[in-house]
Amino acid sequence: MGDYDAIRRFTDETTVEPEAIARARSAALEIGAAPISAAVGAQCAVLSAATNALNIVEIGTGGGVSGLWLLHGSPRATLTTIDKEPEHLAVARSAFSDARIPAARARFITGRASDVLPRMNEASYDIVLVDADPEGVIEYVEHGLRLVRAGGTVLVPRVLAGGAVADPVKRDAQTTAYRSLIQETQGSPAVLGALSIVGEGLLQLTTTSTDAR
């Protein structure tokens, strides 16, 4: 455990966060938006760049931090971000403006993901990031797999639940949801899944066939 903590600390300390994203993080923390870590954000940026993402959906704004990381990786992409908290969306708008993201490249939707996602077009997005309401994460990931194109990617941060998923004694709703998600997707022939333990953890799912929808 000591070695793991040292590696995690080293990773966190050596990840360089662009100034605009660092400012967005400070603003997000002030309102309790709980943004993803810089280490996880950097992974999202790499995946966004590697897939040459052009259309991205984000469930939970994190005050704009995660969206800015995704657009940092793919500067030509358009981001749709969904959050039930108007204040979080307002802070994200300000962060995007501060980062000089053109208004045409960001769409902000106020509402519950469970209400918004069913109305979105399937197979139309390159990346869907799921970072809201842990108890509903399995439902949101199912929607995400429907929304991404063939070969698209669904990203789920925080899946380690602070290490609780590795403890079989932990059976609260949040931990159980994340544990079930990891186990079900790792055994599914419809997706390729990889679990990163950097930061708060990041589950990466790529569709392998239309059966994922």
Side-chain angles (χ1 to χ4, degrees):
M1 182 61 76
D3 289 344
Y4 171 73
D5 288 342
I7 292 171
R8 180 174 179 176
R9 183 169 59 254
F10 176 79
T11 302
D12 290 341
E13 291 175 351
T14 55
T15 300
V16 178
E17 191 161 56
E19 292 183 4
I21 303 181
R23 289 193 296 271
R25 179 178 303 283
S26 295
L29 290 172
E30 287 182 4
I31 63 168
I36 60 173
S37 67
V40 168
Q43 290 184 75
C44 291
V46 169
L47 290 166
S48 181
T51 57
N52 192 28
L54 294 178
N55 294 293
I56 302 171
V57 174
E58 174 186 60
I59 305 168
T61 67
V65 172
S66 48
L68 288 176
W69 270 116
L70 288 163
L71 292 177
H72 181 65
S74 190
R76 296 188 299 122
T78 297
L79 175 77
T80 298
T81 184
I82 305 164
D83 203 296
K84 63 183 180 182
E85 300 291 344
E87 184 180 16
H88 292 190
L89 287 167
V91 169
R93 284 180 185 274
S94 178
F96 277 46
S97 177
D98 177 60
R100 301 182 183 278
I101 303 297
R105 288 182 51 214
R107 182 169 62 141
F108 301 86
I109 299 177
T110 304
R112 293 183 177 277
S114 56
D115 296 328
V116 177
L117 294 174
R119 301 197 299 267
M120 302 184 74
N121 294 330
E122 64 179 56
S124 299
Y125 300 92
D126 302 299
I127 292 177
V128 174
L129 183 139
V130 178
D131 187 25
D133 302 330
E135 292 81 0
V137 67
I138 293 178
E139 175 190 353
Y140 298 153
V141 168
E142 288 175 348
H143 278 297
L145 292 172
R146 178 183 65 82
L147 294 177
V148 294
R149 60 173 172 75
T153 303
V154 176
L155 302 175
V156 190
R158 309 183 206 279
V159 290
L160 298 179
V165 293
D167 184 351
V169 175
K170 301 288 186 180
R171 297 184 179 276
D172 60 276
Q174 175 177 319
T175 302
T176 299
Y178 282 139
R179 187 183 293 128
S180 297
L181 174 65
I182 293 169
Q183 293 171 340
E184 290 178 13
T185 54
Q186 291 299 303
S188 172
V191 297
L192 293 175
L195 177 60
S196 168
I197 61 173
V198 171
E200 62 272 37
L202 179 68
L203 181 62
Q204 306 158 52
L205 304 172
T206 297
T207 58
T208 59
S209 73
T210 54
D211 292 340
R213 311 193 208 305

